[in-house]
Amino acid sequence: MKPDITFYRRFAADILSDKKIITIRDKTESHFHPGEQLRVGYEDDSSIFCTIEVISVVPVAPGDLTNDHARQENMSLAELQDVISQIYPGEQQLYVISFRRIDEG
Ligand SMILES: CC(=O)Nc1ccn([C@@H]2O[C@H](CO)[C@@H](O)[C@H]2O)c(=O)n1
């Protein structure tokens, strides 16, 4: 089965240990709905590593990211801002997808 959403492999351990409970995406991945269950795969080979349930999808501008967002990413705010500027350079409209992990694969 193909994943519904993918993550860079370096973030998988934080998701599987429930330390990372949000992801921040652009418009192309803003269509998920609360209650939806998503198969989660690795970005590099698309293999599935867990299932999550979407809690909410909330618009955010990169300049409005807070320490609270960073905590939910298991990062410092500086790290999060750095990651966002690398993955979504120049993007002014992003979306915070909150989730809970349901199982491993
Ligand atoms: C693989 C792929 O298609 N896209 C993305 C996009 C984002 N992210 C992570 O979400 C958080 C905020 O952006 C940070 O932790 C990011 O590293 C990810 O892992 N994979």
Side-chain angles (χ1 to χ4, degrees), residues 46-57:
S46 291
S47 64
I48 308 288
F49 66 90
C50 73
T51 304
I52 59 174
E53 181 178 321
V54 175
I55 297 171
S56 61
V57 181

Side-chain angles (χ1 to χ4, degrees), residues 6 27 30-31 33 54 57 64 67 70 76 86 94 99 103:
T6 62
K27 192 167 190 297
S30 64
H31 56 277
H33 296 292
V54 175
V57 181
D64 292 337
N67 281 313
S76 69
Q86 284 171 29
L94 297 170
F99 58 84
D103 65 32

Side-chain angles (χ1 to χ4, degrees), residues 40-81:
V40 179
Y42 296 112
E43 176 269 338
D44 51 8
D45 69 359
S46 291
S47 64
I48 308 288
F49 66 90
C50 73
T51 304
I52 59 174
E53 181 178 321
V54 175
I55 297 171
S56 61
V57 181
V58 177
V60 69
D64 292 337
L65 290 172
T66 64
N67 281 313
D68 200 46
H69 293 116
R71 183 184 54 77
Q72 294 175 88
E73 287 270 12
N74 195 35
M75 294 180 199
S76 69
L77 183 54
E79 281 175 309
L80 178 58
Q81 287 167 335

Side-chain angles (χ1 to χ4, degrees), residues 7-15 20 42 75 83 86-87:
F7 286 86
Y8 296 110
R9 195 170 281 263
R10 66 186 189 275
F11 298 113
D14 280 355
I15 294 170
K20 176 173 164 68
Y42 296 112
M75 294 180 199
V83 164
Q86 284 171 29
I87 301 179

Side-chain angles (χ1 to χ4, degrees), residues 16-51:
L16 290 171
S17 58
D18 302 317
K19 291 177 184 153
K20 176 173 164 68
I21 55 171
I22 63 170
T23 184
I24 299 169
R25 302 295 168 114
D26 67 6
K27 192 167 190 297
T28 66
E29 295 188 288
S30 64
H31 56 277
F32 301 116
H33 296 292
E36 204 176 342
Q37 296 189 1
L38 308 180
R39 290 184 305 272
V40 179
Y42 296 112
E43 176 269 338
D44 51 8
D45 69 359
S46 291
S47 64
I48 308 288
F49 66 90
C50 73
T51 304

